[in-house]
Amino acid sequence: MTLPQPTDPGAVFERHRREVYGWAYRLLGRHHDALDAAQDVFLRWLAQSRRTLPENPRGWLRQVTINRAIDLLRRRRESRSAVDVSLVPSTSGDRDAAEQEELRCDVAAATETLTDAQRIVLIAKVYDGMTFAEIAAESGLAVPTVKTHYLRALRAVRDRLARRWGPERNGS
Amino acid sequence: MNADDIKGMLAEYLGDELSPEDRRRFEEYLDTDREFAAEVASLRCTLDDMRSLKVPGEGAFAVPPRAAERRSWPVPVLRYAAVILLAFAAGFLARGWSGGEVGSSGAPPAIADFRPEQPPAGWQMRFATAYVKNTSKSGLARSLVSLAQATR
């Protein structure tokens, strides 16, 4: 599953740029904001790699990306404008763009309220499809702790969504 | 395996990490505990919602047309510059042949109109300086305006 991690900044960028962009986009919902966040993250990676190279670049990048995205969300909260929906592929049966944006905002807002550990575990599990054991190895947490974080994070997001969309959306 | 053992498998169930056998047991238990089944359904729905959030694909990384146009700016700008320099050169040649500025009518200006305090190289130098400072297309346009004002 785990490939040898590149240490060259260019190789790290090539290998992880889509992931970094994806993590940022899922939280930010805007193409250019996600690109800005990704750029910041890789600049930080460059600075970090000159000092001490993180043992797990992917985990480091995920954590920094999520934190950066949360920072950007907080900054723009009061001046929220229309999302860049032109880049969201639309196919029949998809939610319409406005509903996607509302959902994304609620998920992002819920994610913002989580602890760092809960946030990392949730993103890694839901969007990266990692196993609990992989997340535990990457984060240095025990597997049962990872599972606990996962369930607590998931419940927090559910409760946030239920407040706006109603409990019927959540199958209860 | 009692109810608490089954409920303890919730994270693995939602994380799709249960073995087929455990998954069957878990789902059989859901049929007997409606409250827990509702909890599981709500969390499953939340997962579906989160996963439904889309991320632009490869196209998001493509250079937008305008950016692509900007990236290729040196070729047309150099082309414009070459044309302008040719025009300058032609102007200098005309000046040399005529011994002064070429008027709008094409006739050589009178000796009294010649202004030695403004050497011909002055506006060319100003243009070159302005152009070096503004290498974008809009900068080039500004430079051309400056040039037109200087040569008026």
Side-chain angles (χ1 to χ4, degrees), chain A residues 125 131-132 147, chain B residues 1 5-28 30 36 40 44:
Chain A
K125 185 66 182 162
T131 65
F132 293 121
K147 292 177 185 174
Chain B
M1 193 176 282
D5 292 334
I6 294 286
K7 289 181 178 179
M9 296 193 296
L10 176 58
E12 288 94 332
Y13 178 75
L14 293 171
D16 297 322
E17 291 192 34
L18 279 183
S19 67
E21 178 63 19
D22 284 342
R23 186 176 189 83
R24 185 186 57 77
R25 285 183 191 153
F26 189 92
E27 289 176 345
E28 281 177 359
L30 291 181
F36 184 61
V40 173
R44 175 66 77 186

Side-chain angles (χ1 to χ4, degrees), chain B residues 140-152:
Chain B
L140 177 61
R142 281 196 298 274
S143 302
L144 289 172
V145 170
S146 301
L147 172 65
Q149 290 170 342
T151 56
R152 192 173 295 158

